[in-house]
Amino acid sequence: MPKQPISGAIPESLITEPAKEPFDVWWPKYAAEVEKSVTAAEQYLEVPTATISSILQDPDYVATVKTYAVIEPMLNDLISTRRPRSVFGVMSQDESEESFQGFVARLNISGRTGKVALAKGLGLLRPDQVRFIEGVARVRNRYAHNVRNMHRPLQDILAEEQQGNGKIVEDVTGISLKLPSPTLAPTLKMFMYHRLADYLSDALKTLKPPPLPSGGLLAGLSEYFGQSHPPK
């Protein structure tokens, strides 16, 4: 496995200073966190087990289209958490929520008025996640809009896109690389999958935050400070 720097990894503590542990110790921990994130996303999206994790075994075309297909519904739900509130209560909460969710679903994913721009403006995406989604969308369009590309490897599509966007490989995979690169070509899909797992992990922190402790937030804070600063 190549020892490449990975941006947007999960959890951050495993990535920011991986040199503290040997690679063969650190990597399994990282891979386990990736799978944990993917499993949680499959449960959230209510899809069969291995629907997302099978990306690693899928052909590059299927893997890219599936990655995009996972990104978009999560993005829709993220944006929907910032639904505008009715000032005068003209619409019921259910009607307002359903209307806003429909509006979000109809938006294009890219462009100045698209979902990515909206999510970015709402503070729901980090800059590297914006670049990841936009990069995957470009590659997905190359696959989906030309049947002749269906059997082409991801490296070929990225190499062509790299001519106009020198950062697209890093955006999609998290590794800085000039293509073609026969040695690392087989790992491109894997690192795209890891970037997806990072995006899913962050999204679920907003969509499914951990429950408050019994007694509510203030009780949890009291418990925390009581443990952190026991009486003398």
Side-chain angles (χ1 to χ4, degrees):
M1 191 64 62
K3 301 181 183 180
Q4 293 291 330
I6 309 169
S7 61
I10 52 173
E12 188 173 338
S13 60
L14 289 180
I15 302 305
T16 52
E17 299 181 18
K20 289 183 177 180
E21 293 182 316
F23 184 78
D24 59 352
V25 174
W26 167 78
W27 181 263
K29 293 181 180 180
Y30 169 72
E33 290 295 331
V34 167
E35 294 310 308
K36 180 180 177 182
S37 174
V38 168
T39 298
E42 288 174 340
Q43 293 171 351
Y44 174 82
L45 293 171
E46 299 181 348
V47 297
T49 301
T51 296
I52 303 174
S53 61
S54 63
I55 285 174
L56 290 173
Q57 289 75 46
D58 288 331
D60 287 358
Y61 158 71
V62 175
T64 305
V65 172
K66 187 183 289 186
T67 296
Y68 180 90
V70 173
I71 286 171
E72 189 161 20
M74 298 292 281
L75 187 59
N76 290 346
D77 287 358
L78 273 176
I79 296 172
S80 294
T81 64
R82 298 295 190 268
R83 175 177 59 86
R85 305 299 176 183
S86 175
V87 177
F88 299 106
V90 176
M91 293 186 294
S92 71
Q93 181 173 348
D94 291 343
E95 290 174 336
S96 178
E97 183 172 345
E98 182 177 348
S99 176
F100 186 67
Q101 289 175 338
F103 163 75
V104 171
R106 289 190 295 271
L107 292 174
N108 292 326
I109 196 166
S110 302
R112 291 191 299 175
T113 58
K115 297 175 186 178
V116 173
L118 180 55
K120 180 182 177 182
L122 292 170
L124 294 167
L125 296 174
R126 301 193 309 264
D128 64 289
Q129 292 172 331
V130 169
R131 296 191 297 270
F132 168 66
I133 295 173
E134 292 176 340
V136 170
R138 288 186 65 86
V139 177
R140 175 261 183 189
N141 288 343
R142 289 288 302 276
Y143 275 126
H145 295 165
N146 189 339
V147 68
R148 295 177 180 174
N149 287 334
M150 288 179 60
H151 301 291
R152 299 180 66 195
L154 180 60
Q155 176 181 227
D156 288 359
I157 302 296
L158 284 173
E160 292 177 358
E161 287 293 325
Q162 195 173 49
Q163 295 176 17
N165 179 0
K167 290 283 191 178
I168 192 166
V169 177
E170 184 174 355
D171 293 343
V172 172
T173 68
I175 56 177
S176 181
L177 180 67
K178 180 68 176 177
L179 296 176
S181 176
T183 303
L184 291 180
T187 70
L188 295 175
K189 179 175 61 179
M190 178 189 70
F191 282 116
M192 179 177 69
Y193 173 74
H194 291 174
R195 296 277 277 176
L196 174 65
D198 170 70
Y199 163 76
L200 295 175
S201 177
D202 266 12
L204 288 172
K205 290 174 185 175
T206 298
L207 296 170
K208 294 190 67 176
L212 291 174
S214 178
L217 180 60
L218 293 178
L221 289 174
S222 299
E223 180 180 350
Y224 169 79
F225 283 111
Q227 292 175 352
S228 302
H229 307 283
K232 297 182 181 179

